[in-house]
Amino acid sequence: MSVEFSVENNVAYIQLNRPKQRNAQNKEMLDLLDAAMERVETCDTINAAIIFGADPSFCAGSDLTELGALDLDGICDVEKRKAAFLRRISLCPKPIIAAVQGYAVGGGAFLAAACDVVVAAENVKFKGMEVPNGWITPWGFHALNARMAPRHAQRAAWGYKFITATEALRIGLVDEVVALEDLFETARTIAEELAALPPVSVQATKRWYLNACLADGEAEDAKLNSLFRQHCQMEAAQETFKKFEK
C-alpha cells in the first residue's frame, strides 16, 4: 500500500509509503490519501492527524514517470486532484501536522507547507522542482503564501537551490526543527496535545483562520493549472518529460 493509515490516542497517522520512489505521489497514492482524509474528517474519535513519509524522505512530489506516460489532459487532471487534496488539508477542521525528513521537494514541499504545524528534522532539504523542470507549479502557492513573506515564497518557488532546515525555520516554512531521532516523537507530542484540547474550540480556531490561510486557493489553482498546461507544451518541459519516458 502506498499509504498506511492507523489511529492511536485520537491521532491519525498517515504515512506516505513509496520509499524507493522517495514517496513520490502517483494516482494510487492520491486515492488512498483522499480515503485517509475522509476518515480524519468524519471520525469522531480522531482529533488530529500526522502526515509523514517512509524513511528516508518525506515526499519527492509528483511521480514524473507516471505523468510522462499520460497525455496533456491526463497530466492536468492528475494535477487538479493534487490541488484539491492540498486544499482539503486547509478545509479539514482538524489540525494536520507534517513530520518532515530528508527530501521534501516539488509537490512534497507544498504538501508540507499546507499543514497546520510543520516539524522538520535537521537533515531536511526543501526545494521547488517545478521551475527547474520548465513549468510553473500547477497548484499550491497559497500554502507558501500562508507561511512566508512574498519574497521568501517567490524564492522558494523558483527552486534554484535547496532550503535547509535552519533556513526553512528562519523564513517560516517550518515551525520547529529537531534532531532526526526526535522527529516522530515531537510530532506525536504536538498532535496528542492538540487532540486533547476541546475539539469545538480547536476546530473553530482553524475555521477562523481559513480565509487567511487558503485565500482564493481554488481560483488560484485553476489559473496555475492553465499556465502549467501551456508550459508543458514548451521545449524545456518536453525535455524534462523525455527523461522519464519508459
Side-chain angles (χ1 to χ4, degrees):
M1 297 281 282
S2 59
V3 173
E4 299 291 339
F5 185 93
S6 61
V7 179
E8 183 180 344
N9 294 334
N10 302 115
V11 174
Y13 293 88
I14 303 170
Q15 182 186 47
L16 312 181
N17 191 35
R18 301 185 72 213
K20 291 182 179 179
Q21 296 80 21
R22 290 182 176 170
N23 302 315
Q25 296 175 324
N26 62 3
K27 288 190 284 186
E28 179 197 61
M29 182 180 282
L30 286 175
D31 290 339
L32 294 174
L33 283 173
D34 276 330
M37 191 59 69
E38 180 74 18
R39 291 177 68 179
V40 171
E41 291 167 345
T42 59
C43 182
D44 291 338
T45 60
I46 295 174
N47 294 335
I50 299 174
I51 296 177
F52 63 106
D55 291 343
S57 287
F58 179 68
C59 179
S62 297
D63 185 331
L64 293 182
T65 300
E66 181 181 78
L67 288 186
L70 302 175
D71 61 19
L72 185 54
D73 286 340
I75 292 171
C76 290
D77 286 345
V78 169
E79 295 306 318
K80 286 178 183 177
R81 287 193 59 198
K82 294 173 186 172
F85 180 77
L86 210 70
R87 296 193 304 271
R88 192 168 186 174
I89 292 174
S90 294
L91 292 167
C92 176
K94 301 171 184 179
I96 310 295
I97 294 89
V100 189
Q101 64 169 319
Y103 288 96
V105 299
F110 287 98
L111 174 61
C115 293
D116 300 297
V117 181
V118 182
V119 183
E122 292 172 334
N123 73 340
V124 77
K125 292 184 178 180
F126 291 98
K127 187 177 182 182
M129 298 299 293
E130 294 79 12
V131 172
N133 283 339
W135 52 76
I136 196 169
T137 179
W139 42 269
F141 274 164
H142 65 82
L144 297 186
N145 293 339
R147 288 195 154 269
M148 295 181 280
R151 289 300 186 198
H152 290 320
Q154 177 179 269
R155 184 160 58 87
W158 274 334
Y160 59 90
K161 67 175 183 177
F162 284 106
I163 298 174
T164 65
T166 301
E167 177 69 359
L169 182 63
R170 185 184 72 82
I171 64 178
L173 181 54
V174 306
D175 300 298
E176 190 170 345
V177 175
V178 299
L180 176 59
E181 59 267 26
D182 297 329
L183 175 65
F184 196 75
E185 191 58 37
T186 301
R188 181 200 300 273
T189 298
I190 293 171
E192 290 185 352
E193 287 174 343
L194 284 166
L197 297 175
V200 64
S201 51
V202 171
Q203 295 178 25
T205 300
K206 184 167 179 178
R207 285 194 297 270
W208 180 269
Y209 284 100
L210 177 62
N211 287 342
C213 293
L214 185 59
D216 296 321
E218 186 171 5
E220 291 173 2
D221 284 344
K223 292 177 184 177
L224 287 170
N225 193 280
S226 178
L227 289 169
F228 171 76
R229 175 183 287 273
Q230 295 174 32
H231 295 175
C232 281
Q233 300 173 72
M234 297 180 182
E235 183 179 356
Q238 289 296 311
E239 289 300 316
T240 295
F241 282 125
K242 285 179 183 178
K243 297 176 184 177
F244 292 90
E245 288 180 355
K246 292 182 178 179

